[in-house]
Amino acid sequence: MSDSLKIKSDPSDEIAQTPLLEVRGLSVVFDTPDGPQEVVDQVDLKVCAGRTLGLVGESGSGKSVTCLGVMRLLDTGGRVTSGEVMFEGRDLLKNTEEEMEALRGCKIGMVFQDPMVSLNPVRTIGWQISESLRLHRNLSKAAAKHRTMELLDLVGIPEPKTRYAEYPHQFSGGMSQRAMIAMAIACQPKLLIADEPTTALDVTIQAQILELLSDLKKELDMALILITHDLGVIAEAADDVAVMYAGRVVEEASVLDLFDNPLHHYTLGLLNSLPRIDRSVDRLNAIEGTAPPPQDFVEGCRFESRCGHCSDHCYGVRPSFNQVSATRRVACMHPREMT
Amino acid sequence: MSHQQAQPATQTVTTNRIKRSRLGALLHRWGLTGEWLVTAALIYVSFILFVAVFGFLFQPYPHTQTDLFNQLQPPVFMDGGSWAHLLGTDDLGRDVLSRLIRGLRLSVLIGVIGTVIGAILGSFLGIVAAHFRGWVEEVLMMLVDIQVSLPFIIFALAILAFVGNSLTILIIVVGIDGWERYARLSRSMVLSANRQDYVLAVRSLGLNNFKIYQRHVLPNIMGTLVVQATINLPGVILLESTLSFLGLGVQPPMTSLGQILGVGRDYLILAPWIAVAPGLVIFFLTLSIAVIGDWLRDKLDPTLK
Amino acid sequence: MNKSSAVAPEILMEAKDLVCHFSGPKTSFFGKRKIIHAVNGVSLDLYKGETLGLVGESGCGKSTLGQLILNLIQPTSGSTVFLGQDVTKVDKLEWRRLRSEMQLVFQNPLGALNPRLLIYKQIREPLEIHNVGDPDDRHAKVMDMIEAVSLPEHLLERYPHQLSGGQQQRVVIARALINNPKLVVCDESVSALDVSVQAQVVNLLADMQKKLGLTYLFITHDLSIVRHISSRIAVMYLGRIVELADSVELLQNPAHPYTKALIAAVPVPDPRARSSRATIRGEPPNPFDPPSGCAFHARCPHADAKCRTDLPDFRQISDRHMVACHHAEKLF
């Protein structure tokens, strides 16, 4: 097996590294007509250079909002209320807006879910990619064009010369996503945040894009945050995983540990409820109930109402993290046993 | 195909924000809920309607009665005014208040009926265009384009000048104005509604086309059409005023707000109250209806509850 | 769910050589409209009580095929025979009656519900349309149905947007099943749902099938779900069915290179299985400009001259296993 080659899971290696991006206690509140709602509650995340952090959760778990908060891209009504986001020794939350603009698309690239709406329909693909080069790198027009061709080639878009002058509607979904990725890596960012990059794509294209992301990560020595709801994608592409539920991180582990031995009952429930192409079951083990919406978030364990292992301890008090090993922790009063 | 996962947390927040009307957002920013304004608008409009219907009972003088000894008398709160003529008199010594009450009646009548004609005609043609598509749609939309590119005043003047002038024709003419807005709006809304899965769903349940429109499509686009009507109603009243002002609308001895305004124009310096009184009535009426329309749109949308 | 079909399966629905063309947008004012061959000669049998999974990527025509089978759109040519009756040739009245026999469950439940109608009225609507029973009967039926789909009663007086995605899909299912249809087409019915809720709805569909003896055509892009829910699987590519076999057979012994690629591309929730993938290159061809010969030849690692010119027949290669590939025997 080439596992050991593809998945760096040596913990000693991990400890030695200082994280490239560290999020501590990040909370995000949205103002709604019904009052403020805390959508993200004290989230900690850590991404080391050269690694992929998979951020997995169901819709409404706050995984996308967390990353928008990190990038300070929350739209009006949403605001970060506490926490710090350390990137290369600086707290992004203390940066000025100008400093953030210089950082976005330069040191930190972003790729979004729907490439078709993330591209400007009235500008050519080439223009849009070279824009960030002209903006951040002060390249001349010709140099930017030259570099853009290289980028298109790098992300696997055939015939870069003709594709350069084409418009987004002439691109298929997969090709648009490649173009988005080219745009995001144009300035060789240290960190790439990909928010559901393959959700809108077909499976065969999804496989191509995941492969591309992992190749680019190696080639450009980036760190990658991969936000997804799909545990299959996580198993495929992530090195470390943080599982989010109802605005909180409930479990952190390396990808092998998480799938071998999930400690949080929610993680296990998610894994069990997946239909799998590699095995047959008579009936799916669904988790009963639904995740609470933000207005119903409680201080205590938020999974309690759907959990079969809860006790009186689960009410009222936020479950603190159990540091199981250097790379593993779980926020549960009654975590599963390590096997 | 989009099998994407929505993000309800952010989504509900943003949709709520987008769906709140512009005026509502403005009021919100001013720290007002908008309720008092709506209340005031409702009271004002009810008052106007009441006056339009029952005003003749309180009318101090017949609106045509002249009093040549009391020409251009200022209203009571100005120097030289008297309680005999609360809002003063015009150049023929007619009581402005009486004429206002009488004129209001006709203006509101023309405005409401005209709006209803335009709304029904336009919406119907829009739905027809969206339902049949093809050449029907192309012809109807071409008519819309013609209507848009034509200065309507000139069109209306032409009709009134050639066909002659009666109250019925005037109402029809002001009714025709604005049909193209309903047609465009209802066409695009029906087109997008027909692409919605719930229309396909009820079709697959076996509902016939007429019932689909009646039970499902119309209720969903009604709110917007009603709001469009409230936006249009002041325009219709203004159009009637304009035509009357130009002398091709309501003919004496009948009177409307526009006609009073037209007479007042000649005495704007000498006796401003003649024009100001109907002007203010029209202004506040227009504003109130717009405020109510805005509020109605939010009220009629259950997804905002 | 029964994975092996009954001994002598009875045919519920038979699609014969269905073709459906749409005209695309005009390229210029005087230009000819381009024709898109959404469904291009599909023949398919549906057996009573089975679940047939229809798999394919976006744009392959699987949703169109679903609507053709329900007779919601008229085919350009071909016919669908439902219980011995050619439903493409029925009159309006009969067509409406057939609506209670076959139903559709959508991908996006919120879009499939009228935003301005109370849940109760929406579930009751099919009964009103077909004049089933008296008002009391109808009420009783709605109550039975919401219990069957585990929908809490207090939700009946709400609007669709006030429900969660899973609850909305239960409403759509309740509405589709309340007239006891025989055939239900599920078009990506669980794709938009969260994993944990998706499992609930899949289980619900399976329960309802057992209870009511339903036949499902389960359209999806997700092979993992199809494996779980279907007894047979049909794979569609650019308007044609390229492979059809029993679920386990198809997933374990795929004969068509596209099926193989599709299976390989499905992410397995097991990080140890990572290294074993082979991704195919390229993207599905433009349906306005379909390639000659086998539509898959441009992406196929086994394509030769014959594949570029000749359209492969859809033929049987083993018992209950049909495939449209020139090299199927070699690859099988």
Side-chain angles (χ1 to χ4, degrees):
Chain A
M1 269 317 235
S2 53
D3 279 344
S4 47
L5 290 175
K6 287 189 97 175
I7 309 168
K8 290 183 255 173
S9 58
D10 183 8
S12 59
D13 178 40
E14 163 92 8
I15 298 164
Q17 257 178 329
T18 46
L20 176 70
L21 177 89
E22 190 168 6
V23 178
R24 287 187 220 123
L26 185 81
S27 294
V28 176
V29 165
F30 271 91
D31 291 317
T32 71
D34 310 325
Q37 287 175 356
E38 199 173 36
V39 176
V40 171
D41 182 11
Q42 305 270 336
V43 162
D44 300 338
L45 292 174
K46 223 190 292 179
V47 201
C48 295
R51 290 182 74 88
T52 301
L53 171 72
L55 195 54
V56 67
E58 297 181 278
S59 50
S61 61
K63 54 194 191 305
S64 292
V65 178
T66 302
C67 284
L68 290 176
V70 166
M71 293 300 286
R72 304 241 320 256
L73 283 172
L74 292 166
D75 43 29
T76 43
R79 55 202 151 82
V80 173
T81 48
S82 71
E84 48 185 26
V85 177
M86 301 305 291
F87 179 73
E88 294 188 319
R90 296 193 60 173
D91 187 355
L92 296 189
L93 299 179
K94 294 206 177 78
N95 272 359
T96 63
E97 189 50 38
E98 284 75 34
E99 286 168 324
M100 282 311 290
E101 273 165 21
L103 203 76
R104 282 181 214 131
C106 187
K107 290 257 172 84
I108 305 179
M110 288 195 87
V111 178
F112 297 97
Q113 170 170 322
D114 196 342
M116 304 305 243
V117 298
S118 305
L119 287 164
N120 181 345
V122 299
R123 289 289 191 178
T124 63
I125 296 283
W127 190 92
Q128 297 186 49
I129 298 175
S130 54
E131 185 189 24
S132 94
L133 288 166
R134 291 195 305 268
L135 218 68
H136 291 297
R137 287 281 153 98
N138 279 326
L139 287 186
S140 71
K141 246 185 159 177
K145 183 167 180 178
H146 181 74
R147 174 80 185 126
T148 304
M149 301 281 200
E150 285 177 4
L151 283 167
L152 288 174
D153 192 51
L154 186 66
V155 297
I157 293 179
E159 301 170 65
K161 268 209 182 81
T162 47
R163 293 304 226 168
Y164 181 91
E166 286 187 348
Y167 288 89
H169 72 270
Q170 292 164 297
F171 273 51
S172 67
M175 282 299 153
S176 304
Q177 195 57 295
R178 284 176 194 269
M180 287 300 298
I181 292 172
M183 213 181 293
I185 62 165
C187 298
Q188 299 192 323
K190 294 266 168 45
L191 173 68
L192 184 65
I193 299 178
D195 188 353
E196 304 267 9
T198 59
T199 308
L201 305 175
D202 285 318
V203 266
T204 56
I205 310 298
Q206 164 170 292
Q208 294 170 4
I209 296 290
L210 288 179
E211 200 175 84
L212 173 68
L213 282 176
S214 113
D215 290 349
L216 287 175
K217 191 185 81 172
K218 261 177 246 147
E219 209 155 315
L220 305 174
D221 195 28
M222 297 185 294
L224 182 63
I225 298 182
L226 184 65
I227 303 171
T228 179
H229 68 280
D230 188 339
L231 280 165
V233 170
I234 290 288
E236 202 63 50
D239 302 317
D240 308 298
V241 188
V243 182
M244 283 191 76
Y245 184 78
R248 290 174 179 167
V249 172
V250 294
E251 182 165 5
E252 284 172 18
S254 72
V255 70
L256 285 178
D257 287 345
L258 188 88
F259 282 86
D260 286 349
N261 194 3
L263 295 183
H264 201 283
H265 297 287
Y266 172 65
T267 316
L268 180 74
L270 265 190
L271 282 169
N272 283 344
S273 60
L274 277 181
R276 297 181 58 150
I277 194 166
D278 53 346
R279 52 181 89 137
S280 298
V281 282
D282 265 354
R283 200 176 164 77
L284 296 175
N285 291 307
I287 312 176
E288 288 307 315
T290 46
Q295 62 267 24
D296 296 345
F297 283 177
V298 292
E299 182 55 30
C301 176
R302 290 169 183 173
F303 187 61
E304 164 273 317
S305 61
R306 305 172 78 186
C307 183
H309 302 266
C310 60
S311 71
D312 292 347
H313 302 293
C314 300
Y315 299 91
V317 186
R318 181 189 175 124
S320 55
F321 272 110
N322 247 324
Q323 194 81 38
V324 181
S325 74
T327 56
R328 280 212 86 160
R329 48 188 207 154
V330 56
C332 177
M333 293 291 184
H334 310 285
R336 300 179 64 243
E337 294 290 310
M338 287 274 262
T339 44
Chain B
M1 182 198 359
S2 61
H3 31 87
Q4 307 146 349
Q5 303 272 321
Q7 305 289 322
T10 45
Q11 208 176 31
T12 39
V13 176
T14 40
T15 45
N16 274 346
R17 195 173 336 105
I18 289 163
K19 275 190 179 165
R20 182 184 297 150
S21 52
R22 225 179 301 162
L23 188 68
L26 201 66
L27 290 172
H28 194 72
R29 204 183 309 152
W30 292 343
L32 302 170
T33 47
E35 292 300 329
W36 68 267
L37 195 66
V38 174
T39 318
L42 282 170
I43 290 173
Y44 182 74
V45 169
S46 329
F47 173 71
I48 289 291
L49 284 176
F50 177 79
V51 171
V53 178
F54 298 106
F56 69 96
L57 297 173
F58 315 104
Q59 206 173 316
Y61 305 94
H63 70 283
T64 47
Q65 182 185 316
T66 55
D67 180 357
L68 293 176
F69 296 106
N70 280 317
Q71 285 171 304
L72 300 180
Q73 197 178 60
V76 65
F77 46 84
M78 284 173 74
D79 282 347
S82 83
W83 285 99
H85 299 284
L86 278 179
L87 292 179
T89 59
D90 67 3
D91 56 326
L92 298 173
R94 293 176 295 193
D95 182 47
V96 171
L97 179 65
S98 305
R99 292 180 61 74
L100 205 59
I101 290 172
R102 200 49 185 248
L104 194 61
R105 174 175 221 185
L106 203 57
S107 285
V108 167
L109 183 80
I110 294 173
V112 170
I113 299 182
T115 302
V116 169
I117 290 176
I120 291 178
L121 179 76
S123 311
F124 176 73
L125 290 179
I127 293 171
V128 166
H131 181 73
F132 290 102
R133 311 287 327 247
W135 67 267
V136 178
E137 185 184 23
E138 276 175 37
V139 168
L140 284 171
M141 287 304 117
M142 200 170 278
L143 284 178
V144 164
D145 290 341
I146 291 171
Q147 168 94 59
V148 172
S149 53
L150 203 71
F152 188 75
I153 287 285
I154 298 191
F155 177 67
L157 289 178
I159 293 183
L160 291 169
F162 284 110
V163 182
N165 197 331
S166 77
L167 189 58
T168 322
I169 292 175
L170 182 67
I171 290 179
I172 290 174
V173 166
V174 297
I176 288 173
D177 175 47
W179 75 273
E180 83 279 0
R181 272 165 256 167
Y182 300 101
R184 271 186 171 168
L185 195 65
S186 62
R187 172 184 159 269
S188 67
M189 284 192 306
V190 169
L191 283 181
S192 75
N194 280 346
R195 268 196 293 273
Q196 298 286 315
D197 277 347
Y198 66 83
V199 172
L200 183 60
V202 289
R203 214 162 80 77
S204 84
L205 290 169
L207 207 61
N208 61 31
N209 281 330
F210 179 73
K211 283 261 178 70
I212 290 179
Y213 282 107
Q214 184 203 4
R215 274 184 62 94
H216 293 278
V217 177
L218 265 181
N220 273 294
I221 66 173
M222 208 44 150
T224 320
L225 288 176
V226 167
V227 173
Q228 176 65 37
T230 59
I231 293 170
N232 234 28
L233 180 60
V236 172
I237 292 177
L238 286 178
L239 178 68
E240 177 273 320
S241 300
T242 313
L243 289 172
S244 301
F245 175 87
L246 291 172
L248 273 160
V250 172
Q251 299 297 319
M254 286 192 292
T255 188
S256 74
L257 293 180
Q259 203 208 22
I260 305 173
L261 206 62
V263 172
R265 178 191 54 169
D266 299 339
Y267 299 90
L268 210 52
I269 309 279
L270 207 56
W273 57 86
I274 305 177
V276 166
L280 283 179
V281 169
I282 294 177
F283 172 73
F284 283 113
L285 187 60
T286 317
L287 186 68
S288 304
I289 292 172
V291 168
I292 291 171
D294 223 52
W295 168 77
L296 260 185
R297 168 176 37 200
D298 290 357
K299 272 282 156 213
L300 290 174
D301 190 349
T303 59
L304 286 185
K305 273 176 203 159
Chain C
M1 215 164 305
N2 68 338
K3 287 269 151 83
S4 54
S5 303
V7 190
E10 190 183 339
I11 291 180
L12 178 77
M13 155 75 72
E14 200 180 354
K16 285 182 192 157
D17 210 18
L18 281 177
V19 175
C20 184
H21 295 174
F22 294 119
S23 46
K26 273 186 191 174
T27 41
S28 71
F29 190 75
F30 295 106
K32 261 194 169 175
R33 283 177 192 275
K34 278 191 169 175
I35 301 289
I36 178 169
H37 300 252
V39 172
N40 211 349
V42 167
S43 298
L44 199 61
D45 292 342
L46 266 170
Y47 301 117
K48 225 174 219 175
E50 78 163 341
T51 301
L52 175 64
L54 183 60
V55 192
E57 294 181 280
S58 49
C60 73
K62 55 189 193 300
S63 288
T64 309
L65 180 58
Q67 293 187 26
L68 279 175
I69 283 180
L70 289 176
N71 210 22
L72 286 174
I73 40 182
Q74 272 289 320
T76 311
S77 69
S79 63
T80 43
V81 178
F82 181 75
L83 290 174
Q85 182 185 24
D86 186 346
V87 292
T88 49
K89 295 197 179 66
V90 295
D91 62 8
K92 262 199 169 154
L93 214 69
E94 182 60 20
W95 184 86
R96 282 193 60 203
R97 195 195 61 76
L98 277 168
R99 293 300 100 213
S100 56
E101 304 266 331
M102 34 178 114
Q103 267 307 310
L104 184 57
V105 175
F106 294 83
Q107 169 178 11
N108 174 5
L110 185 57
L113 295 168
N114 185 337
R116 283 160 200 264
L117 218 51
L118 292 175
I119 297 300
Y120 176 78
K121 289 191 177 159
Q122 312 224 21
I123 299 179
R124 193 179 154 124
E125 183 151 36
L127 302 172
E128 315 273 354
I129 294 171
H130 295 282
N131 282 318
V132 179
D134 58 41
D136 288 344
D137 285 351
R138 291 177 195 172
H139 181 75
K141 277 202 166 174
V142 172
M143 288 309 175
D144 287 351
M145 188 44 84
I146 63 157
E147 203 194 322
V149 300
S150 326
L151 200 66
E153 202 179 316
H154 68 270
L155 296 180
L156 288 177
E157 295 303 317
R158 299 222 181 144
Y159 289 102
H161 69 278
Q162 295 165 318
L163 272 57
S164 72
Q167 291 165 339
Q168 288 162 359
Q169 196 59 293
R170 284 170 201 272
V171 174
V172 173
I173 292 172
R175 182 180 62 181
L177 300 186
I178 199 160
N179 266 341
N180 287 322
K182 296 194 172 67
L183 171 65
V184 178
V185 172
C186 302
D187 190 356
E188 298 277 9
S189 302
V190 296
S191 311
L193 302 174
D194 274 319
V195 187
S196 65
V197 180
Q198 175 176 307
Q200 296 169 8
V201 175
V202 166
N203 287 341
L204 172 68
L205 285 170
D207 293 343
M208 296 310 278
Q209 181 172 42
K210 251 183 238 150
K211 209 185 240 172
L212 304 172
L214 300 169
T215 304
Y216 286 141
L217 178 66
F218 201 89
I219 301 172
T220 180
H221 68 282
D222 189 337
L223 270 167
S224 317
I225 292 181
V226 149
R227 158 166 200 156
H228 175 74
I229 202 165
S230 315
S231 38
R232 288 192 306 152
I233 299 178
V235 180
M236 208 167 163
Y237 191 75
L238 209 71
R240 287 196 172 84
I241 289 185
V242 295
E243 188 161 6
L244 171 67
D246 287 345
S247 296
V248 179
E249 163 77 6
L250 186 114
L251 291 171
Q252 279 167 4
N253 299 313
H256 198 285
Y258 177 62
T259 315
K260 284 189 175 161
L262 211 52
I263 294 171
V266 175
V268 179
D270 179 2
R272 293 181 198 282
R274 225 182 242 194
S275 49
S276 62
R277 351 244 335 256
T279 51
I280 45 165
R281 278 166 296 113
E283 311 212 345
N286 182 354
F288 285 109
D289 189 18
S292 60
C294 173
F296 188 59
H297 77 246
R299 302 171 79 188
C300 183
H302 310 285
D304 58 17
K306 194 179 175 198
C307 301
R308 281 185 270 278
T309 52
D310 297 352
L311 185 68
D313 291 330
F314 190 49
R315 61 210 156 83
Q316 189 140 11
I317 50 163
S318 74
D319 184 38
R320 304 165 60 83
H321 194 151
M322 308 270 289
V323 64
C325 174
H326 292 305
H327 306 295
E329 280 79 5
K330 216 161 63 195
L331 302 168
F332 186 45

